Amino acid sequence: MREAAAVFRKPVMLYSIGKDSGVMLHLAMKAFYPGKPPFSLLHVDTTWKFREMIAHRDAIAARYGMKLIVHINADGVARGIGPVASGAALHTQVMKTEALRQALDAHGFDAALGGARRDEEKSRAKERIFSFRNAHHGWEPREQRPELWSLFNTCLHEGESMRVFPLSNWTEFDVWDYIAAEDVPVVPLYFAAKRPVVRRSGTWIMVDDDRLPLEPGEVPELRSVRFRTLGCYPLSGAIESHATTLDEIIAEMRAARTSERQARLIDGEGGASMEAKKREGYF
Amino acid sequence: MARDLLRFLTCGSVDDGKSTLIGRILLDCGVVPDDQLAALERDSRRFGTTGDALDVALLLDGLDAERQQGITIDVAYRYFSSANRAFIVADTPGHAQFTRNMATGASNCELAVILVDARKGVLAQTRRHSFICALMGIRHVAVAINKMDLVAFDQAVFDRISAEYQKFAAALGFQSVTLLPVAARDGDNVVHRSTRAAWYQGPTLLEYLDHVDVRQDAATRPFRFPVQYVLHPDPDFRGLSGTIASGAVAVGDGIVVAASGKATTVKRIVTFDGDLLQAEAGQAVTLVLADEVDIIRGDLLAPPRDRPEVADQFAAHVVWMSDQPMLPGRSYLLMCGTRLVPARVTLLKHRIDINDLSERSARTLELNDIGVCNIATDQPLVFDAYAANHCTGAFILIDRTTHATAGAGMIDFGLRRANNIHPQSHSIGKAERAAALGQKPQILWFTGLSGSGKSTIADLVEKDLHRRGIHSVLLDGDNMRSGLNRDLGFSDADRVENIRRVGEVARLMLDAGLVVICCFISPFAAEREMVRDLVPAGEFTEIFVDTALEECIRRDPKGLYAKALTGKIPNFTGIGSPYEVPVQPDLRIAGAMEVAVAVDAVVAWVMARQG
Ligand SMILES: Nc1nc2c(ncn2[C@@H]2O[C@H](COP(=O)(O)OP(=O)(O)O)[C@@H](O)[C@H]2O)c(=O)[nH]1
């Protein structure tokens, strides 16, 4: 992170409100102590995040004293794009991928720090720590620069940019262990509580507000659930759980037999869909 | 997270079973979640090579294209852990273009697992992989002799391959070599002990990985601290942030800034969790020094008694990673630690043939070549030999035009103490000479295809300037090649050297106070940039004579295109050799422009800078 701050003209930290972002931000606070990280936080808001996430985001920015930029794809909103109306793929494309590109261009950021980890998904396993993007924010698997030792080639031409993943070598366990050890604040949605949910595609979807159209016969029921990853609420599946403390979450995870992205509905279409999205500029 | 971390690399020829082995480790260590297992069952049927059985190799491949080709292309990282240790596996491909990827994977590893197919034994590829591991400084190797099921777990086969490997590896100087009989597909001796090889008493692969001692005693080596970031949040606090590369430091320790030799002591070791009294290799800290000394990102702090070398020339092994060949004389950006400086390969001593480790003479290095070179940096570099310290002895070379990581290097030793060469300072310098001539010196660099009109325009420009009382000199491609550069041809390497010499001559002429007019095709952007960097900002003007190739061929004043097009001149620019168009020239003369208009434009540019 210091490397990014030292070599780029105008870096930004993508803050997605999730646990990985939380850890990344916490590490940034430590890396620049007693100073403050010399970059702002950017949140690309799809307008479909859990309400608790938005509240957490604002509380965190205030608590750490960081400048927060929130970007919403106004054009997408005008077109009425949403995960329910337009389907997950189009929603993600317009409200996340395109929105991110808009925000990076509008502010002229040449580097964006993100909390992605290589253990999340197969195509991420080959991602670089400093990942090069062409002037159209595209990711070309073949043009990535080899990373030897701790020497990161950060040279850019005008218009090109870099995505930086400081947590590349962390696993999901590492993240939770760190949250426990350092008392990093996380969204309460990660802990089990009684929440109104409906059963869809083999997972529990939370009814976070009245925009979620219920299918015939669906009646929200209160169940003790928690989330392993957070995104747009109609696309984030919860698991049934009674883990209400960090220790219980870690214990539950050690016993668990599913991967964390399983509950993300966008990944479903074949293992390589993430890669196709990345080529277009998704994180 | 204090748990021990081991990073290892896996290498083997295509189809030795490398992916199967890693997949097997992941599966048997229980890190494969149920949903991925379900996906694996699905994929096994679709892409698998093992019939209806689980193809655990499919747990690894990530990129679409390579999955379809059925081979791994780049380095992929995998994570798993045992009760004892966490592991990071760098998985690198085994196909022919492996050198670059293996070097990348190996650079961060302490250990390598080399696969051998029990039916095939030690292959040329095994030797090559072992050599690259040794070159990259890996000290420990495990040789997994795989597919033992296909040789009926015959101990004689294992013993024969072991002996053969040991014999060959002796020359590579590994600290430890361990051989294991395994069957990755079935899991024998990977995580679980095989019931089919009772004669084998050694550890399973996982037991071995769990207990092997790879400590390089980073903490007992001399203290090295590359300054990554100067932290200066308010007037009262100035700290130097970075990660300790080796050794340890304590409050009160004397340190020097290696490049300048300035000495001071450590006053505080600051971290978010409170000040420390001491810190050691691997820790990210912020140091506050007792005195205000000039330090910037890229400096290296070291103990006064155990300083790194400071030199502007050194010998190194270089692994070439770019499609563009390495050309001696070309300027690259060299990154070592947190320092970035322009550098050139001054001498390519030889290429190493990794098939038999013999030395081959070479004029350039191609992708995946390994060479031994002398390298000169524009400013003195602070370093240790790679063998003594990977952090301060490793570097990368960056292409100045494309910014691609073009090469990776390991410093062998310094060649000349930079401290002993002091540029002579004379009483009369460029400023005095220019003042005597009553003008501001500058370089006008005309670039463009042969026949584009460079010489015609330059000649008229000089005539005009001469009339205005400007003292000038004109350097021209053909004239230089008939004298100073008589020994050079038209290979890429020679073209680079040609422009390097011309650049140096132009600089001397500039020092004489002249307006230096240069007419050179100078087809490569890197060399044009190199000349620009030789002189102060603003004294170099790149003028691109942008005449289309078809027009140049039509003009063909010297009949050269005719010859080139019939194959009589092999490396002719625009025909058999590329011309890299300037992206942002200072002046561009379009092909259709009247010569007189072009001349006026250049003269106006020069006169505007005469002030
Ligand atoms: N019989 C047998 N076949 C194996 C073994 N390990 C791997 N294979 C097979 O060898 C082939 C190549 O394996 P793979 O892991 O893709 O090789 P890679 O190219 O080195 O990654 C596949 O068909 C595997 O099923 C083994 O221990 N025994």
Side-chain angles (χ1 to χ4, degrees):
Chain A
M1 281 193 255
R2 291 172 179 162
E3 195 69 13
V7 299
F8 295 112
R9 193 170 32 81
K10 191 170 176 191
V12 67
M13 176 175 281
L14 295 184
Y15 180 70
S16 72
I17 324 180
K19 60 186 184 308
D20 300 329
S21 290
V23 166
M24 180 168 65
L25 177 57
H26 190 78
L27 286 167
M29 299 311 293
K30 295 180 73 158
F32 295 96
Y33 176 84
K36 283 238 185 292
F39 41 74
S40 316
L41 303 180
L42 171 66
H43 178 229
V44 176
D45 191 349
T46 62
T47 71
W48 286 87
K49 300 293 175 192
F50 292 89
R51 284 171 297 164
E52 274 183 83
M53 288 174 74
I54 303 298
H56 181 77
R57 174 193 75 192
D58 297 340
I60 287 294
R63 167 167 165 178
Y64 286 122
M66 295 285 290
K67 181 169 175 249
L68 173 73
I69 302 168
V70 176
H71 180 82
I72 296 177
N73 185 349
D75 173 54
V77 173
R79 283 160 57 197
I81 302 285
V84 186
S86 336
L90 184 65
H91 171 69
T92 305
Q93 163 72 17
V94 174
M95 299 306 289
K96 284 174 93 167
T97 310
E98 281 179 25
L100 175 61
R101 288 208 297 242
Q102 287 170 353
L104 296 179
D105 287 341
H107 296 273
F109 294 123
D110 59 345
L113 292 110
R117 310 185 317 266
R118 288 191 184 125
D119 78 326
E120 282 175 60
E121 201 267 344
K122 276 184 185 181
S123 93
R124 291 234 200 256
K126 294 170 194 195
E127 183 57 281
R128 305 295 195 269
I129 296 176
F130 282 77
S131 174
F132 174 76
R133 302 299 158 106
N134 62 29
H136 313 289
H137 301 290
W139 178 77
E140 260 309 316
R142 290 204 164 262
E143 271 172 36
Q144 295 303 312
R145 300 167 176 175
E147 290 182 342
L148 293 106
W149 300 290
S150 315
L151 300 174
F152 300 109
N153 173 356
T154 50
C155 298
L156 293 179
H157 288 290
E158 192 62 34
E160 296 170 345
S161 61
M162 203 68 95
R163 304 282 165 91
V164 188
F165 303 109
L167 303 187
S168 281
N169 282 331
W170 291 49
T171 64
E172 192 185 3
F173 285 118
D174 295 336
V175 169
W176 281 112
D177 285 343
Y178 189 81
I179 289 170
E182 298 269 326
D183 209 6
V184 180
V186 293
V187 189
L189 292 164
Y190 286 114
F191 299 98
K194 289 242 186 273
R195 300 189 169 95
V197 289
V198 292
R199 188 87 185 151
R200 280 190 191 172
S201 315
T203 179
W204 293 104
I205 300 294
M206 178 167 158
V207 185
D208 194 47
D209 56 35
D210 51 21
R211 286 182 296 171
L212 188 76
L214 296 178
E215 322 234 319
E218 268 184 351
V219 182
E221 48 185 314
L222 274 184
R223 279 185 181 263
S224 177
V225 294
R226 68 178 192 86
F227 295 84
R228 280 177 80 182
T229 60
L230 292 173
C232 297
Y233 79 80
L235 301 179
S236 303
I239 52 170
E240 284 198 76
S241 164
H242 295 282
T244 55
T245 66
L246 282 172
D247 287 344
E248 286 170 15
I249 287 179
I250 293 171
E252 189 178 279
M253 227 174 21
R254 297 217 186 270
R257 295 286 310 163
T258 55
S259 61
E260 59 176 327
R261 277 198 167 258
Q262 187 219 16
R264 282 229 186 156
L265 298 184
I266 58 164
D267 287 343
E269 322 127 21
S273 65
M274 173 77 92
E275 189 186 329
K277 286 200 298 285
K278 267 172 49 176
R279 287 186 197 234
E280 292 171 8
Y282 182 69
F283 239 72
Chain B
M1 267 188 278
R3 197 169 35 166
D4 211 8
L5 174 70
L6 179 74
R7 294 163 178 262
F8 69 92
L9 165 86
T10 53
C11 29
S13 308
V14 177
D15 278 350
D16 281 350
K18 189 161 51 67
S19 312
T20 309
L21 181 74
I22 304 172
R24 174 55 66 186
I25 295 180
L26 299 181
L27 193 66
D28 288 356
C29 282
V31 293
V32 181
D34 284 345
D35 54 319
Q36 276 188 23
L37 203 60
L40 171 65
E41 278 165 14
R42 200 179 61 218
D43 286 358
S44 292
R45 267 176 263 125
R46 215 157 113 209
F47 309 106
T49 59
T50 50
D52 271 345
L54 272 192
D55 187 351
V56 288
L58 292 175
L59 284 172
L60 306 183
D61 286 345
L63 301 184
D64 260 5
E66 62 192 88
R67 187 190 303 179
Q68 276 145 23
Q69 290 165 23
I71 46 165
T72 14
I73 293 175
D74 207 337
V75 189
Y77 294 92
R78 302 286 151 191
Y79 307 84
F80 70 96
S81 51
S82 66
N84 224 354
R85 275 183 172 161
F87 299 94
I88 300 180
V89 190
D91 181 17
T92 59
H95 58 83
Q97 300 286 304
F98 61 91
T99 305
R100 152 191 160 136
N101 299 321
M102 249 197 81
T104 305
S107 69
N108 283 316
C109 289
E110 290 115 7
L111 180 147
V113 175
I114 298 178
L115 265 98
V116 172
D117 185 327
R119 296 168 304 175
K120 300 183 190 154
V122 177
L123 300 177
Q125 195 79 328
T126 317
R127 296 203 182 88
R128 296 183 196 128
H129 289 157
S130 303
F131 168 66
I132 295 169
C133 288
L135 175 76
M136 299 303 293
I138 287 184
R139 315 290 308 277
H140 305 271
V141 296
V143 183
I145 301 177
N146 188 31
K147 307 196 186 177
M148 285 299 290
D149 55 314
L150 299 181
V151 295
F153 284 89
D154 183 352
Q155 180 173 9
V157 172
F158 176 78
D159 288 346
R160 198 188 65 238
I161 297 174
S162 301
E164 195 184 342
Y165 188 85
Q166 296 273 20
K167 186 163 151 241
F168 138 80
L172 296 178
F174 292 122
Q175 203 172 317
S176 81
V177 174
T178 305
L179 297 114
L180 311 99
V182 305
R185 200 191 57 185
D186 310 327
D188 294 68
N189 287 336
V190 179
V191 173
H192 305 300
R193 183 155 291 280
S194 174
T195 52
R196 298 189 276 183
W199 47 266
Y200 176 71
Q201 301 300 318
T204 64
L205 183 60
L206 187 70
E207 285 165 3
Y208 162 79
L209 293 172
D210 233 355
H211 297 289
V212 60
D213 182 5
V214 294
R215 271 172 307 167
Q216 295 249 348
D217 35 77
T220 61
R221 277 178 299 161
F223 173 64
R224 297 287 183 261
F225 186 78
V227 175
Q228 192 182 17
Y229 193 80
V230 179
L231 200 60
H232 196 26
D234 58 69
D236 301 331
F237 187 90
R238 189 165 186 277
L240 308 169
S241 301
T243 301
I244 301 176
S246 66
V249 67
V251 172
D253 279 1
I255 52 121
V256 290
V257 183
S260 65
K262 294 251 168 53
T264 178
T265 53
V266 175
K267 191 165 128 196
R268 289 175 61 194
I269 303 174
V270 179
T271 78
F272 180 82
D273 302 306
D275 278 15
L276 303 175
L277 286 177
Q278 55 188 47
E280 59 171 42
Q283 281 181 280
V285 295
T286 296
L287 302 181
V288 179
L289 305 179
D291 307 285
E292 279 278 324
V293 281
D294 251 356
I295 295 180
I296 53 169
R297 171 180 161 85
D299 278 333
L300 184 80
L301 306 185
R305 266 174 231 293
D306 221 332
R307 302 184 192 201
E309 279 199 68
V310 182
D312 63 357
Q313 285 198 33
F314 55 82
H317 279 70
V318 170
V319 179
W320 203 246
M321 310 200 137
S322 165
D323 296 327
Q324 303 274 323
M326 188 281 284
L327 302 175
R330 170 165 289 187
S331 176
Y332 297 95
L333 292 175
L334 180 147
M335 185 177 191
C336 179
T338 46
R339 189 85 194 282
L340 193 65
V341 290
R344 280 174 294 116
V345 171
T346 51
L347 176 69
L348 173 56
K349 288 193 233 172
H350 56 260
R351 184 171 71 77
I352 298 178
D353 184 332
I354 56 169
N355 295 308
D356 55 8
L357 307 191
S358 64
E359 298 176 1
R360 301 290 170 92
S361 70
R363 304 203 60 191
T364 65
L365 290 180
E366 305 286 335
L367 175 66
N368 290 313
D369 278 354
I370 297 170
V372 179
C373 317
N374 288 350
I375 293 184
T377 50
D378 283 10
Q379 294 131 39
L381 192 72
V382 174
F383 61 86
D384 293 295
Y386 185 72
N389 197 326
H390 288 197
C391 296
T392 46
F395 62 90
I396 55 174
L397 294 171
I398 300 171
D399 186 300
R400 302 191 69 157
T401 314
T402 65
H403 289 166
T405 299
M410 289 136 290
I411 298 177
D412 298 324
F413 48 84
L415 286 172
R416 183 174 61 172
R417 303 288 292 186
N419 319 9
N420 300 339
I421 35 157
H422 301 288
Q424 281 289 345
S425 59
H426 302 283
S427 6
I428 300 298
K430 181 159 107 190
E432 288 75 16
R433 296 187 198 107
L437 295 174
Q439 64 181 36
K440 297 233 170 67
Q442 52 180 298
I443 294 177
L444 302 176
W445 187 275
F446 289 85
T447 172
L449 294 168
S450 174
S452 58
K454 297 185 298 294
S455 305
T456 311
I457 297 168
D459 184 56
L460 292 170
V461 165
E462 185 169 40
K463 230 161 115 184
D464 195 327
L465 292 177
H466 185 72
R467 244 197 342 260
R468 294 167 193 260
I470 299 282
H471 300 265
S472 62
V473 64
L474 196 149
L475 306 175
D476 175 279
D478 290 340
N479 301 351
M480 293 292 284
R481 281 191 176 275
S482 63
L484 178 63
N485 293 350
R486 189 161 40 197
D487 56 327
L488 299 177
F490 291 90
S491 67
D492 286 356
D494 281 0
R495 286 174 189 272
V496 169
E497 177 63 11
N498 181 42
I499 298 301
R500 190 189 70 79
R501 291 186 200 171
V502 169
E504 292 292 346
V505 172
R507 175 164 66 166
L508 290 172
M509 298 287 185
L510 190 75
D511 280 349
L514 300 174
V515 169
V516 192
I517 305 171
C518 304
C519 295
F520 297 90
I521 297 175
S522 45
F524 303 136
E527 279 61 60
R528 299 191 297 258
E529 285 311 301
M530 174 183 77
V531 179
R532 183 191 294 277
D533 286 352
L534 280 177
V535 303
E539 293 184 12
F540 178 90
T541 299
E542 182 178 51
I543 304 168
F544 176 31
V545 185
D546 190 4
T547 307
L549 179 62
E550 300 72 47
E551 174 61 15
C552 296
I553 294 176
R554 199 188 56 74
R555 293 182 191 163
D556 205 5
K558 301 176 195 159
L560 296 173
Y561 284 101
K563 286 192 200 160
L565 287 168
T566 52
K568 292 196 190 102
I569 313 177
N571 292 324
F572 197 70
T573 301
I575 309 293
S577 184
Y579 178 80
E580 297 172 8
V581 172
V583 187
Q584 281 177 312
D586 300 297
L587 282 176
R588 182 174 157 272
I589 297 175
M593 202 186 275
E594 290 281 338
V595 170
V597 178
V599 171
D600 284 351
V602 177
V603 170
W605 172 279
V606 175
M607 295 317 291
R609 276 150 191 80
Q610 285 303 314

